[in-house]
């Protein structure tokens, strides 16, 4: 499918905090495909969004909705046989989806940082954290070993590791989970990237630590002007940290808009369901609302709108008409707000 | 740490004692040394006299105890066949075996790790698949057959390398003779070293490959890639090091095996080492030589095991904290 002019216009209207500025990241009709013996799967299907400098975009959706896959495509870390099959990714105006492996490697870590879900497994257990930081700094910035160590120390201090100088030579197992995630964030940010992809950065952490990590991420990105793609399935984290939110379902972007608007007035019935299932939004009801059923598998997508079998408002058009385009913030024939 | 080493040494001594006990209980089934030692015109009285003289009339625990007593004083007895002190004979033969084992060990480890890493990183490549297929040959062919094949190709058909012996050796110091310093000595080393090291090499290679494939899937490797580290740093600095703990375990045991199984290679190539000495000793029921050899091999195994355990600490920092009970 060609780039539709609709996609161009609707972002301007919906959510561009600082208009006229070049977006840090621009994803245009991104398609990721996985060839399998039983046909081609599309875990990411024509996803488009822009990310302004310093903006935090939350990406939510159920497991398998394509949230992480989009992030992996942006940083060029799709596991084979998954690959980008269409669309464009522009970082600060430059196309990066068609770069060679070598050039892409230079961008990873330097221009795009990444934070993974589980801090217990994302650090190499055999290498002191100071060395892991220093090697990243040395790889991307043309500095000496001593200078790299100095900067490693500075970045550890910045993420709030107590007595950082003494802990430079500590191994990952000597830190708690929350502290390790701080180290991971320091690693993602140490070369001053303009974009950080945080893939469920708090899911594996204690609830008491989650808020600290989110606050840290938010503060660092504000101070450095770093944009963030915050992938999560926790609406609470989105409400806390993100400027805008993108909702994904079965590989498609079904709704995007400023967090406040989306949370208070969701347009897409799926978003409505997600918001309704948050404890804070259940208004003291005994039972939380839930969305019936489960997301369809990618090899068995229903005809029409992929959400229609679970949608409380599904009508004949939803079942048979081609899936709706993302318009006015939601990809739905009958957005929630309109019929009321 | 020191307490750990002391405990391990203590355990090792017990292992050695048990090995010796088992060895001595087996010697009586090997044959009667007296038959070989006396000529055709022996009388029953001669036999009895020699038997008493050698202590063979005693039950084996007593023989074992005598051996231990001697060994504690550094006296391993006198060879029945050669009539010379066993310690001297083994000291003469040990350099040949140790040099052979050293060369094949280095060969097995370097080639094994290099090929293992290569086949893991390029696991879809044609070269990697060919190497993996060939490695099956290395794992499944028995050592003596490999030796005979190599002799046939390189010594008989091509005539480029010697088929037996150690070549010229040079005496270094009081006890050591080396084949490293002469051309013929080095040439003579090639075939036996390959024969002895091939199995270990393929084993190490296959192990490194499977461990490496496992580690390359780990989160921290993904994270290392996400930080934009070079492929070389990811593969060697991050991945290879994490594969080393299991690799060292197996490699350590295999190094012991290289020395122990040198017997077969030494027989095929008539290599004048302790393995060949042991084979000859069995044929002659030369009990002091057999006993000393077996004890030597056990000391070696036990020492290598201890070194392997200590290497874990050097490689994996996690063990330094919670490994005290190990």
């Amino acid at each position: 499918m060609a780039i539709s002019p609709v996609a161009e216009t609707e972002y301007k209207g919906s959510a561009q905090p600082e208009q006229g500025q070049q977006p840090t990241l621009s994803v245009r009709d991104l398609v990721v495909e996985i060839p399998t013996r039983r046909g081609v799967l599309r875990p990411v299907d024509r996803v488009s969004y822009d990310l302004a400098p310093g903006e935090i975009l939350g990406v939510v959706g159920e497991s398998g909705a394509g949230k992480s896959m989009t992030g992996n495509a942006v940083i060029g870390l799709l596991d084979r046989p998954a690959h980008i099959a269409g669309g464009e990714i522009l970082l600060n105006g430059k196309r990066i989806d068609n770069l060679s492996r070598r050039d892409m490697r230079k961008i990873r870590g330097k221009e795009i940082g990444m934070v993974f879900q589980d801090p217990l497994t994302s650090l190499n257990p055999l290498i002191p954290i100071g060395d892991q930081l220093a090697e990243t700094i040395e790889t991307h910035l043309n500095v000496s070993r001593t200078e790299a160590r100095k900067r490693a120390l500075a970045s550890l201090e910045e993420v709030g590791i107590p007595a950082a100088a003494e802990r430079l030579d500590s191994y990952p197992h000597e830190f708690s989970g929350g502290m390790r995630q701080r180290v991971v964030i320091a690693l993602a940010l140490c070369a001053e990237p303009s974009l950080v992809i945080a893939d469920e950065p708090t899911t594996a952490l204690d609830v008491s630590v989650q808020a600290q990590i989110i606050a840290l991420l938010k503060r660092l990105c504000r101070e450095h002007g770093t944009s963030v793609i915050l992938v999560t399935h926790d609406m609470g984290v989105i409400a806390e940290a993100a400027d805008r939110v993108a909702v994904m379902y079965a590989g498609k972007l079904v709704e995007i808009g400023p967090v406040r608007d989306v949370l208070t007035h969701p347009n897409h019935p799926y978003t409505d369901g997600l918001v309704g299932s948050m404890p804070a939004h259940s208004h003291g009801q005994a039972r939380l609302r839930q969305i019936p059923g489960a997301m369809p598998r990618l090899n068995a997508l229903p005809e029409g709108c992929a959400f229609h079998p679970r949608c409380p408002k599904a009508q004949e058009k939803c079942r048979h008409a081609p899936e709706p385009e993302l318009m006015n913030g939601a990809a739905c024939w009958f957005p929630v707000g309109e019929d009321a | 740490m020191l307490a750990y080493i002391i405990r391990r040494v203590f355990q090792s001594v017990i292992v050695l004692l048990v090995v010796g006990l088992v060895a001595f209980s087996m010697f009586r089934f090997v044959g009667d040394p007296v038959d070989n030692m006396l000529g055709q015109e022996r009388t029953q009285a001669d036999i009895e006299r020699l038997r008493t003289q050698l202590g063979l009339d005693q039950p084996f625990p007593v023989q074992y105890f005598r051996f231990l007593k001697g060994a504690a004083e550094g006296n391993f007895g006198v060879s029945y066949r050669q009539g010379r002190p066993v310690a001297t004979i083994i000291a003469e033969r040990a350099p040949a075996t140790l040099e052979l084992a050293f060369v094949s060990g280095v060969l097995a480890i370097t080639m094994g790790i290099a090929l293992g890493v290569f086949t893991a990183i390029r696991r879809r490549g044609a070269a990697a698949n060919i190497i993996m297929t060939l490695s099956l040959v290395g794992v499944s062919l028995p050592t003596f057959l490999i030796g005979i094949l190599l002799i046939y190709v390189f010594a008989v058909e091509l005539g480029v390398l010697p088929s037996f012996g150690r070549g010229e050796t040079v005496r270094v110091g009081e006890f050591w003779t080396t084949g490293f310093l002469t051309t013929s000595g080095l040439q003579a080393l090639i075939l036996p070293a390959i024969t002895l090291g091939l199995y270990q090499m393929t084993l190490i290679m296959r192990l490194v490959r499977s461990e490496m494939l496992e580690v390359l899937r780990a989160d921290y490797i993904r994270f290392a890639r996400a930080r934009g580290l070079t492929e070389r740093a990811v593969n060697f600095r991050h991945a290879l090091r994490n594969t080393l703990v299991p690799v060292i375990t197996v490699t350590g045991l295999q190094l012991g095996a290289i020395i122990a199984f040198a017997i077969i290679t030494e027989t095929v190539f008539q290599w004048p080492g302790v393995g060949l000495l042991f084979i000859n000793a069995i044929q002659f029921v030369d009990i002091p030589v057999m006993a000393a050899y077996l004890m030597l091999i056990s000391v070696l195994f036990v020492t290598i095991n201890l070194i392997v355990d200590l290497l874990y600490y050097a490689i994996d920092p996690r063990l330094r904290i919670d490994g005290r009970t190990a």
Side-chain angles (χ1 to χ4, degrees), chain A residues 181-209:
Chain A
Q181 195 64 309
R182 285 170 192 262
V183 174
V184 169
I185 290 173
L187 275 163
L189 288 169
C190 65
E192 301 263 328
S194 50
L195 170 69
V196 168
I197 299 169
D199 193 348
E200 313 235 9
T202 57
T203 310
L205 297 175
D206 266 4
V207 181
S208 55
V209 183

PDB file of all heavy atoms in Angstrom, chain A residues 181-209:
ATOM      1  N   GLN A 181      18.668  -1.883  36.668  1.00  0.00           N
ATOM      2  CA  GLN A 181      17.965  -1.196  35.594  1.00  0.00           C
ATOM      3  C   GLN A 181      18.508   0.226  35.452  1.00  0.00           C
ATOM      4  O   GLN A 181      18.567   0.762  34.356  1.00  0.00           O
ATOM      5  CB  GLN A 181      16.443  -1.215  35.847  1.00  0.00           C
ATOM      6  CG  GLN A 181      15.597  -0.863  34.633  1.00  0.00           C
ATOM      7  CD  GLN A 181      15.728  -1.846  33.489  1.00  0.00           C
ATOM      8  OE1 GLN A 181      16.822  -2.173  33.059  1.00  0.00           O
ATOM      9  NE2 GLN A 181      14.609  -2.330  32.971  1.00  0.00           N
ATOM     10  N   ARG A 182      18.941   0.819  36.556  1.00  0.00           N
ATOM     11  CA  ARG A 182      19.588   2.138  36.459  1.00  0.00           C
ATOM     12  C   ARG A 182      20.864   2.033  35.634  1.00  0.00           C
ATOM     13  O   ARG A 182      21.168   2.901  34.814  1.00  0.00           O
ATOM     14  CB  ARG A 182      19.915   2.677  37.853  1.00  0.00           C
ATOM     15  CG  ARG A 182      18.688   3.192  38.589  1.00  0.00           C
ATOM     16  CD  ARG A 182      19.013   3.495  40.036  1.00  0.00           C
ATOM     17  NE  ARG A 182      17.778   3.708  40.791  1.00  0.00           N
ATOM     18  CZ  ARG A 182      17.275   4.923  41.058  1.00  0.00           C
ATOM     19  NH1 ARG A 182      17.914   5.989  40.673  1.00  0.00           N
ATOM     20  NH2 ARG A 182      16.147   5.024  41.718  1.00  0.00           N
ATOM     21  N   VAL A 183      21.628   0.954  35.883  1.00  0.00           N
ATOM     22  CA  VAL A 183      22.853   0.757  35.108  1.00  0.00           C
ATOM     23  C   VAL A 183      22.516   0.584  33.624  1.00  0.00           C
ATOM     24  O   VAL A 183      23.173   1.155  32.743  1.00  0.00           O
ATOM     25  CB  VAL A 183      23.629  -0.484  35.625  1.00  0.00           C
ATOM     26  CG1 VAL A 183      24.822  -0.775  34.723  1.00  0.00           C
ATOM     27  CG2 VAL A 183      24.087  -0.273  37.052  1.00  0.00           C
ATOM     28  N   VAL A 184      21.457  -0.188  33.357  1.00  0.00           N
ATOM     29  CA  VAL A 184      21.045  -0.404  31.971  1.00  0.00           C
ATOM     30  C   VAL A 184      20.669   0.927  31.320  1.00  0.00           C
ATOM     31  O   VAL A 184      21.039   1.207  30.177  1.00  0.00           O
ATOM     32  CB  VAL A 184      19.864  -1.400  31.910  1.00  0.00           C
ATOM     33  CG1 VAL A 184      19.254  -1.435  30.517  1.00  0.00           C
ATOM     34  CG2 VAL A 184      20.320  -2.794  32.306  1.00  0.00           C
ATOM     35  N   ILE A 185      19.970   1.779  32.075  1.00  0.00           N
ATOM     36  CA  ILE A 185      19.599   3.089  31.530  1.00  0.00           C
ATOM     37  C   ILE A 185      20.853   3.927  31.282  1.00  0.00           C
ATOM     38  O   ILE A 185      20.985   4.584  30.246  1.00  0.00           O
ATOM     39  CB  ILE A 185      18.621   3.806  32.489  1.00  0.00           C
ATOM     40  CG1 ILE A 185      17.269   3.082  32.463  1.00  0.00           C
ATOM     41  CG2 ILE A 185      18.452   5.269  32.114  1.00  0.00           C
ATOM     42  CD1 ILE A 185      16.271   3.575  33.489  1.00  0.00           C
ATOM     43  N   ALA A 186      21.805   3.851  32.222  1.00  0.00           N
ATOM     44  CA  ALA A 186      23.069   4.572  32.016  1.00  0.00           C
ATOM     45  C   ALA A 186      23.739   4.082  30.731  1.00  0.00           C
ATOM     46  O   ALA A 186      24.264   4.870  29.942  1.00  0.00           O
ATOM     47  CB  ALA A 186      23.995   4.360  33.211  1.00  0.00           C
ATOM     48  N   LEU A 187      23.705   2.770  30.508  1.00  0.00           N
ATOM     49  CA  LEU A 187      24.316   2.199  29.303  1.00  0.00           C
ATOM     50  C   LEU A 187      23.603   2.682  28.045  1.00  0.00           C
ATOM     51  O   LEU A 187      24.237   2.947  27.026  1.00  0.00           O
ATOM     52  CB  LEU A 187      24.255   0.668  29.366  1.00  0.00           C
ATOM     53  CG  LEU A 187      25.383  -0.015  30.132  1.00  0.00           C
ATOM     54  CD1 LEU A 187      25.009  -1.442  30.469  1.00  0.00           C
ATOM     55  CD2 LEU A 187      26.653   0.013  29.314  1.00  0.00           C
ATOM     56  N   ALA A 188      22.279   2.775  28.125  1.00  0.00           N
ATOM     57  CA  ALA A 188      21.525   3.193  26.944  1.00  0.00           C
ATOM     58  C   ALA A 188      21.768   4.663  26.636  1.00  0.00           C
ATOM     59  O   ALA A 188      21.730   5.076  25.480  1.00  0.00           O
ATOM     60  CB  ALA A 188      20.036   2.937  27.161  1.00  0.00           C
ATOM     61  N   LEU A 189      22.052   5.456  27.671  1.00  0.00           N
ATOM     62  CA  LEU A 189      22.151   6.906  27.482  1.00  0.00           C
ATOM     63  C   LEU A 189      23.582   7.422  27.425  1.00  0.00           C
ATOM     64  O   LEU A 189      23.806   8.598  27.154  1.00  0.00           O
ATOM     65  CB  LEU A 189      21.407   7.626  28.618  1.00  0.00           C
ATOM     66  CG  LEU A 189      19.885   7.541  28.567  1.00  0.00           C
ATOM     67  CD1 LEU A 189      19.294   8.059  29.863  1.00  0.00           C
ATOM     68  CD2 LEU A 189      19.348   8.333  27.386  1.00  0.00           C
ATOM     69  N   CYS A 190      24.576   6.553  27.658  1.00  0.00           N
ATOM     70  CA  CYS A 190      25.937   7.064  27.877  1.00  0.00           C
ATOM     71  C   CYS A 190      26.548   7.709  26.646  1.00  0.00           C
ATOM     72  O   CYS A 190      27.459   8.513  26.760  1.00  0.00           O
ATOM     73  CB  CYS A 190      26.844   5.973  28.443  1.00  0.00           C
ATOM     74  SG  CYS A 190      27.105   4.611  27.316  1.00  0.00           S
ATOM     75  N   ALA A 191      26.065   7.368  25.451  1.00  0.00           N
ATOM     76  CA  ALA A 191      26.617   8.011  24.255  1.00  0.00           C
ATOM     77  C   ALA A 191      25.701   9.132  23.776  1.00  0.00           C
ATOM     78  O   ALA A 191      25.803   9.566  22.639  1.00  0.00           O
ATOM     79  CB  ALA A 191      26.847   6.983  23.159  1.00  0.00           C
ATOM     80  N   GLU A 192      24.810   9.594  24.642  1.00  0.00           N
ATOM     81  CA  GLU A 192      23.912  10.700  24.339  1.00  0.00           C
ATOM     82  C   GLU A 192      23.094  10.494  23.073  1.00  0.00           C
ATOM     83  O   GLU A 192      23.167  11.300  22.139  1.00  0.00           O
ATOM     84  CB  GLU A 192      24.721  12.009  24.204  1.00  0.00           C
ATOM     85  CG  GLU A 192      25.495  12.367  25.450  1.00  0.00           C
ATOM     86  CD  GLU A 192      24.745  13.379  26.319  1.00  0.00           C
ATOM     87  OE1 GLU A 192      24.019  14.202  25.758  1.00  0.00           O
ATOM     88  OE2 GLU A 192      24.881  13.294  27.549  1.00  0.00           O
ATOM     89  N   PRO A 193      22.310   9.431  22.999  1.00  0.00           N
ATOM     90  CA  PRO A 193      21.489   9.213  21.811  1.00  0.00           C
ATOM     91  C   PRO A 193      20.333  10.215  21.768  1.00  0.00           C
ATOM     92  O   PRO A 193      19.960  10.779  22.794  1.00  0.00           O
ATOM     93  CB  PRO A 193      20.967   7.790  22.002  1.00  0.00           C
ATOM     94  CG  PRO A 193      20.948   7.590  23.476  1.00  0.00           C
ATOM     95  CD  PRO A 193      22.081   8.392  24.018  1.00  0.00           C
ATOM     96  N   SER A 194      19.770  10.421  20.567  1.00  0.00           N
ATOM     97  CA  SER A 194      18.631  11.338  20.484  1.00  0.00           C
ATOM     98  C   SER A 194      17.321  10.594  20.695  1.00  0.00           C
ATOM     99  O   SER A 194      16.283  11.203  20.867  1.00  0.00           O
ATOM    100  CB  SER A 194      18.627  12.061  19.139  1.00  0.00           C
ATOM    101  OG  SER A 194      18.758  11.130  18.090  1.00  0.00           O
ATOM    102  N   LEU A 195      17.391   9.251  20.670  1.00  0.00           N
ATOM    103  CA  LEU A 195      16.179   8.458  20.847  1.00  0.00           C
ATOM    104  C   LEU A 195      16.484   7.255  21.735  1.00  0.00           C
ATOM    105  O   LEU A 195      17.528   6.614  21.584  1.00  0.00           O
ATOM    106  CB  LEU A 195      15.675   7.965  19.481  1.00  0.00           C
ATOM    107  CG  LEU A 195      14.560   6.919  19.492  1.00  0.00           C
ATOM    108  CD1 LEU A 195      13.269   7.524  19.996  1.00  0.00           C
ATOM    109  CD2 LEU A 195      14.361   6.338  18.101  1.00  0.00           C
ATOM    110  N   VAL A 196      15.592   6.972  22.673  1.00  0.00           N
ATOM    111  CA  VAL A 196      15.734   5.766  23.487  1.00  0.00           C
ATOM    112  C   VAL A 196      14.475   4.934  23.319  1.00  0.00           C
ATOM    113  O   VAL A 196      13.359   5.456  23.387  1.00  0.00           O
ATOM    114  CB  VAL A 196      15.944   6.102  24.982  1.00  0.00           C
ATOM    115  CG1 VAL A 196      15.786   4.855  25.837  1.00  0.00           C
ATOM    116  CG2 VAL A 196      17.311   6.703  25.207  1.00  0.00           C
ATOM    117  N   ILE A 197      14.683   3.643  23.047  1.00  0.00           N
ATOM    118  CA  ILE A 197      13.547   2.739  22.995  1.00  0.00           C
ATOM    119  C   ILE A 197      13.562   1.944  24.293  1.00  0.00           C
ATOM    120  O   ILE A 197      14.502   1.199  24.560  1.00  0.00           O
ATOM    121  CB  ILE A 197      13.654   1.786  21.795  1.00  0.00           C
ATOM    122  CG1 ILE A 197      13.678   2.588  20.505  1.00  0.00           C
ATOM    123  CG2 ILE A 197      12.495   0.793  21.795  1.00  0.00           C
ATOM    124  CD1 ILE A 197      14.032   1.785  19.288  1.00  0.00           C
ATOM    125  N   ALA A 198      12.549   2.145  25.125  1.00  0.00           N
ATOM    126  CA  ALA A 198      12.490   1.436  26.394  1.00  0.00           C
ATOM    127  C   ALA A 198      11.415   0.362  26.270  1.00  0.00           C
ATOM    128  O   ALA A 198      10.225   0.669  26.214  1.00  0.00           O
ATOM    129  CB  ALA A 198      12.176   2.400  27.525  1.00  0.00           C
ATOM    130  N   ASP A 199      11.861  -0.896  26.189  1.00  0.00           N
ATOM    131  CA  ASP A 199      10.936  -1.999  25.950  1.00  0.00           C
ATOM    132  C   ASP A 199      10.525  -2.610  27.288  1.00  0.00           C
ATOM    133  O   ASP A 199      11.261  -3.376  27.875  1.00  0.00           O
ATOM    134  CB  ASP A 199      11.610  -3.043  25.041  1.00  0.00           C
ATOM    135  CG  ASP A 199      10.616  -4.048  24.510  1.00  0.00           C
ATOM    136  OD1 ASP A 199       9.481  -4.081  24.998  1.00  0.00           O
ATOM    137  OD2 ASP A 199      10.988  -4.818  23.604  1.00  0.00           O
ATOM    138  N   GLU A 200       9.378  -2.245  27.770  1.00  0.00           N
ATOM    139  CA  GLU A 200       8.871  -2.691  29.067  1.00  0.00           C
ATOM    140  C   GLU A 200       9.917  -2.543  30.169  1.00  0.00           C
ATOM    141  O   GLU A 200      10.274  -3.517  30.825  1.00  0.00           O
ATOM    142  CB  GLU A 200       8.441  -4.171  28.980  1.00  0.00           C
ATOM    143  CG  GLU A 200       7.592  -4.439  27.759  1.00  0.00           C
ATOM    144  CD  GLU A 200       6.276  -5.078  28.100  1.00  0.00           C
ATOM    145  OE1 GLU A 200       5.962  -5.157  29.295  1.00  0.00           O
ATOM    146  OE2 GLU A 200       5.571  -5.470  27.160  1.00  0.00           O
ATOM    147  N   PRO A 201      10.409  -1.334  30.400  1.00  0.00           N
ATOM    148  CA  PRO A 201      11.537  -1.162  31.322  1.00  0.00           C
ATOM    149  C   PRO A 201      11.190  -1.435  32.775  1.00  0.00           C
ATOM    150  O   PRO A 201      12.083  -1.591  33.591  1.00  0.00           O
ATOM    151  CB  PRO A 201      11.932   0.306  31.123  1.00  0.00           C
ATOM    152  CG  PRO A 201      10.682   0.965  30.660  1.00  0.00           C
ATOM    153  CD  PRO A 201       9.951  -0.049  29.852  1.00  0.00           C
ATOM    154  N   THR A 202       9.910  -1.499  33.098  1.00  0.00           N
ATOM    155  CA  THR A 202       9.563  -1.671  34.516  1.00  0.00           C
ATOM    156  C   THR A 202       8.846  -2.987  34.796  1.00  0.00           C
ATOM    157  O   THR A 202       8.587  -3.310  35.951  1.00  0.00           O
ATOM    158  CB  THR A 202       8.639  -0.527  34.982  1.00  0.00           C
ATOM    159  OG1 THR A 202       7.482  -0.519  34.140  1.00  0.00           O
ATOM    160  CG2 THR A 202       9.328   0.806  34.893  1.00  0.00           C
ATOM    161  N   THR A 203       8.550  -3.748  33.752  1.00  0.00           N
ATOM    162  CA  THR A 203       7.732  -4.944  33.935  1.00  0.00           C
ATOM    163  C   THR A 203       8.364  -5.943  34.902  1.00  0.00           C
ATOM    164  O   THR A 203       7.671  -6.576  35.686  1.00  0.00           O
ATOM    165  CB  THR A 203       7.505  -5.622  32.574  1.00  0.00           C
ATOM    166  OG1 THR A 203       7.062  -4.636  31.658  1.00  0.00           O
ATOM    167  CG2 THR A 203       6.478  -6.716  32.668  1.00  0.00           C
ATOM    168  N   ALA A 204       9.705  -6.063  34.848  1.00  0.00           N
ATOM    169  CA  ALA A 204      10.354  -7.090  35.665  1.00  0.00           C
ATOM    170  C   ALA A 204      10.722  -6.576  37.055  1.00  0.00           C
ATOM    171  O   ALA A 204      11.351  -7.280  37.823  1.00  0.00           O
ATOM    172  CB  ALA A 204      11.603  -7.602  34.941  1.00  0.00           C
ATOM    173  N   LEU A 205      10.327  -5.341  37.364  1.00  0.00           N
ATOM    174  CA  LEU A 205      10.783  -4.756  38.627  1.00  0.00           C
ATOM    175  C   LEU A 205       9.697  -4.789  39.699  1.00  0.00           C
ATOM    176  O   LEU A 205       8.509  -4.890  39.401  1.00  0.00           O
ATOM    177  CB  LEU A 205      11.193  -3.302  38.398  1.00  0.00           C
ATOM    178  CG  LEU A 205      12.363  -3.083  37.442  1.00  0.00           C
ATOM    179  CD1 LEU A 205      12.564  -1.596  37.215  1.00  0.00           C
ATOM    180  CD2 LEU A 205      13.624  -3.710  37.988  1.00  0.00           C
ATOM    181  N   ASP A 206      10.147  -4.643  40.932  1.00  0.00           N
ATOM    182  CA  ASP A 206       9.226  -4.475  42.048  1.00  0.00           C
ATOM    183  C   ASP A 206       8.357  -3.240  41.825  1.00  0.00           C
ATOM    184  O   ASP A 206       8.825  -2.237  41.311  1.00  0.00           O
ATOM    185  CB  ASP A 206      10.033  -4.201  43.329  1.00  0.00           C
ATOM    186  CG  ASP A 206      10.291  -5.465  44.084  1.00  0.00           C
ATOM    187  OD1 ASP A 206       9.899  -6.530  43.566  1.00  0.00           O
ATOM    188  OD2 ASP A 206      10.887  -5.384  45.158  1.00  0.00           O
ATOM    189  N   VAL A 207       7.127  -3.317  42.261  1.00  0.00           N
ATOM    190  CA  VAL A 207       6.228  -2.177  42.086  1.00  0.00           C
ATOM    191  C   VAL A 207       6.821  -0.929  42.730  1.00  0.00           C
ATOM    192  O   VAL A 207       6.759   0.167  42.191  1.00  0.00           O
ATOM    193  CB  VAL A 207       4.847  -2.482  42.708  1.00  0.00           C
ATOM    194  CG1 VAL A 207       3.917  -1.312  42.512  1.00  0.00           C
ATOM    195  CG2 VAL A 207       4.268  -3.734  42.084  1.00  0.00           C
ATOM    196  N   SER A 208       7.463  -1.099  43.891  1.00  0.00           N
ATOM    197  CA  SER A 208       8.006   0.062  44.602  1.00  0.00           C
ATOM    198  C   SER A 208       9.127   0.726  43.813  1.00  0.00           C
ATOM    199  O   SER A 208       9.395   1.911  43.986  1.00  0.00           O
ATOM    200  CB  SER A 208       8.523  -0.385  45.972  1.00  0.00           C
ATOM    201  OG  SER A 208       9.453  -1.427  45.809  1.00  0.00           O
ATOM    202  N   VAL A 209       9.790  -0.042  42.957  1.00  0.00           N
ATOM    203  CA  VAL A 209      10.920   0.507  42.204  1.00  0.00           C
ATOM    204  C   VAL A 209      10.469   1.079  40.867  1.00  0.00           C
ATOM    205  O   VAL A 209      11.098   1.982  40.323  1.00  0.00           O
ATOM    206  CB  VAL A 209      11.982  -0.602  41.992  1.00  0.00           C
ATOM    207  CG1 VAL A 209      13.189  -0.060  41.275  1.00  0.00           C
ATOM    208  CG2 VAL A 209      12.386  -1.208  43.319  1.00  0.00           C
TER     209      VAL A 209
END
